[in-house]
Amino acid sequence: MTDVKPEDSPVEENGTSAVPAVLALPPGTSTEPQGLRTFADHYWARVRGGDMGSLPAVGGLIVLVGVFLAVQPVFRGLYNFGNMFTEGSATIFIAMGLVFVLLLGEIDLAAGFTAGVCASVMARLMDGYGYNWYVTIPAALITGLFIGFVTGVLVAKVRIPSFVVTLAFFLAFQGVTLFILNNGKGQTGSITLHDKVVNGFANSQMPIWAGWALAAVVILGYLAQKLFALAERRRQGLAGEPAAVLAAKVGSLALISLLLVYLLNQNRAANQKPIRKLVYENHVGKFITVTPPAVEGVPYVVPVLLVLFVILTFVLTRTRYGRHVYAVGGNEEAARRAGIGVDRVRISVFMISSVLAAVGGIMISSNVSSTAANSFGGNTLLLAVGAAVIGGTSLFGGRGRVVDAIIGGAVVEVINNGFGNLFKGANSSAIQFIAVGLALALAATVDALSRRRAGSSGLR
């Protein structure tokens, strides 16, 4: 009979099996009392021990933004700034789902074309059969849910490696996307979307006051969450973050949120000068002066992103299911002995990944107001995987957060946008691919070295 190590033994909670205590704590949790100096020492010890989280990605993002602001005038423009929010959102949504899959050490190579299949279902129902967004968007999400369920069953129950299953679906879903777009009622090939709600996610902005209200909700919500966590730790007899650290975090978030809203609330239209336009009345042409409409306000995709971020972060860090995901990713055998339904967890993460891929597909279609097969090519998946890994999610499982997708997605979008504006002509795409590839290789190297360091220092 195999011996069970103490750290692998199950812990009982109200008579039911639970996650092993060492695995039940969210990443970065400490049970030791902490003053400001102690907190800093513990944080630095974790970093030196290999637990760097998103620190490299944040540092890289700051450097990249600083360089492009200094050398690229287009990058500094408000119009370009607003575009990065809408153009990079789809990558972040898909990366959020991939975080769940990567936490188990699995991979979903079909996520890009899963987005294509789901967006095609939405577009076909909308254009060919006249259904409104409140029918077509749920249909796209349900399609993603079904795809994820099938993928998860093949991986968890049939025991086919996720690489093989999702590679097969990557190839097959290209055909499925083309079939849906080329058959049925309505347009074929590329389907133009006319629904104001779907197109509005990426192309419409919130009222000015709503942007400020959103910033206030984000700041106050984060403060409330931190205070609740602090009270909970004190109730358990544990020391929380020092007041200075808490104030610094809340203050930094407030500064960033208010600055972003201020910039997005400015008129960032590419052409703001009045123009003369020829119009015809009663077959008589005349010139009139027209002022281009203002483009100001926070894009509607931002609150959608924030809502999903809050929900998914809560699921991973505040629920038993989230602890089970980390447990299975960290040590599958220990999680199985602790009574966790490993197969159910594995199926569920693929379902989450595919649903968020569907959201990403909807956002891609919204950004260009159409659905076409070439919008969901291999780069869609590769950039999403790159975003999750660059942000700090481990390729080896057991370590990662939803916020990694946002940070990594920002890095990927800044690289694409910055180099795309800096280098024009035939070599522009080449430079972008090289830069993103090098960033991903660097992130994977940091991940591997961090895990080796964490293992030698006893943190893992």
Side-chain angles (χ1 to χ4, degrees):
M1 182 175 179
T2 305
D3 294 333
V4 180
K5 295 184 291 184
E7 61 267 29
D8 291 346
S9 60
V11 178
E12 298 297 324
E13 293 182 354
N14 300 324
T16 60
S17 297
V19 188
V22 69
L23 297 175
L25 297 173
T29 301
S30 173
T31 58
E32 298 182 21
Q34 296 181 22
L36 181 58
R37 177 61 182 273
T38 306
F39 180 89
D41 290 343
H42 286 180
Y43 177 77
W44 179 240
R46 291 200 304 271
V47 170
R48 292 182 60 188
D51 184 11
M52 292 187 290
S54 299
L55 189 61
V58 172
L61 181 61
I62 293 173
V63 171
L64 286 169
V65 170
V67 170
F68 288 132
L69 285 175
V71 303
Q72 180 47 256
V74 176
F75 188 84
R76 298 194 293 265
L78 288 176
Y79 180 77
N80 184 67
F81 178 69
N83 276 351
M84 284 195 288
F85 275 85
T86 55
E87 292 175 354
S89 63
T91 297
I92 292 175
F93 284 118
I94 299 174
M96 282 180 170
L98 288 172
V99 166
F100 283 79
V101 174
L102 292 172
L103 280 171
L104 265 61
E106 304 285 359
I107 190 66
D108 185 0
L109 297 176
F113 278 108
T114 296
V117 171
C118 297
S120 300
V121 168
M122 177 192 70
R124 176 56 64 205
L125 291 175
M126 192 172 290
D127 177 72
Y129 300 91
Y131 288 105
N132 291 319
W133 66 269
Y134 47 79
V135 174
T136 60
I137 290 180
L141 298 179
I142 291 172
T143 301
L145 194 69
F146 175 74
I147 290 173
F149 176 76
V150 173
T151 304
V153 168
L154 291 175
V155 172
K157 297 297 186 181
V158 186
R159 303 297 181 186
I160 305 175
S162 60
F163 178 87
V164 177
V165 173
T166 57
L167 177 60
F169 284 168
F170 171 84
L171 299 172
F173 288 164
Q174 294 183 59
V176 173
T177 300
L178 286 169
F179 184 86
I180 295 173
L181 293 176
N182 290 327
N183 296 275
K185 296 181 180 179
Q187 305 172 62
T188 57
S190 177
I191 299 179
T192 301
L193 302 179
H194 301 286
D195 188 275
K196 293 182 178 179
V197 173
V198 173
N199 289 339
F201 287 130
N203 298 297
S204 296
Q205 290 76 37
M206 302 170 64
I208 300 298
W209 65 265
W212 293 116
L214 179 65
V217 169
V218 169
I219 297 167
L220 294 176
Y222 182 73
L223 175 61
Q225 183 269 329
K226 283 294 185 180
L227 293 177
F228 175 80
L230 181 61
E232 184 69 15
R233 289 182 64 84
R234 287 178 176 174
R235 186 181 66 82
Q236 297 173 359
L238 303 172
E241 292 178 329
V245 175
L246 177 60
K249 288 184 176 181
V250 175
S252 299
L253 178 66
L255 178 62
I256 294 172
S257 300
L258 295 175
L259 178 61
L260 291 179
V261 171
Y262 171 78
L263 293 174
L264 290 173
N265 279 345
Q266 307 302 306
N267 183 7
R268 55 184 188 276
N271 184 13
Q272 301 181 22
K273 297 179 180 180
I275 59 175
R276 290 178 62 79
K277 182 179 180 182
L278 180 63
V279 298
Y280 287 89
E281 294 181 2
N282 299 324
H283 305 288
V284 178
K286 64 177 182 179
F287 283 96
I288 62 173
T289 301
V290 177
T291 301
V295 179
E296 54 189 14
V298 178
Y300 277 106
V301 70
V302 174
V304 175
L305 179 63
L306 288 175
V307 168
L308 282 176
F309 167 70
V310 170
I311 293 173
L312 296 173
T313 299
F314 178 83
V315 168
L316 267 185
T317 61
R318 299 294 178 182
T319 66
R320 174 172 293 197
Y321 170 77
R323 293 194 295 271
H324 288 183
V325 171
Y326 281 114
V328 174
N331 189 326
E332 180 178 329
E333 184 58 30
R336 196 184 303 276
R337 295 180 184 181
I340 295 174
V342 173
D343 287 350
R344 290 195 301 271
V345 171
R346 183 164 277 112
I347 293 172
S348 67
V349 297
F350 282 100
M351 294 173 69
I352 292 172
S353 176
S354 294
V355 169
L356 286 166
V359 176
I362 294 170
M363 293 304 168
I364 290 174
S365 297
S366 173
N367 191 38
V368 295
S369 299
S370 66
T371 302
N374 58 12
S375 299
F376 308 95
N379 292 339
T380 303
L381 165 72
L382 298 178
L383 292 178
V385 173
V389 175
I390 290 170
T393 298
S394 175
L395 285 165
F396 303 97
R399 190 170 65 194
R401 303 169 299 168
V402 179
V403 72
D404 295 342
I406 297 179
I407 297 173
V411 173
V412 169
E413 180 58 27
V414 167
I415 290 175
N416 279 334
N417 188 282
F419 281 110
N421 289 323
L422 189 61
F423 296 95
K424 300 294 185 181
N427 291 327
S428 177
S429 296
I431 298 298
Q432 293 178 55
F433 288 138
I434 291 172
V436 175
L438 290 177
L440 178 57
L442 179 60
T445 302
V446 170
D447 179 29
L449 294 177
S450 296
R451 290 181 66 88
R452 185 183 305 174
R453 179 70 175 175
S456 63
S457 61
L459 292 179
R460 209 181 149 72

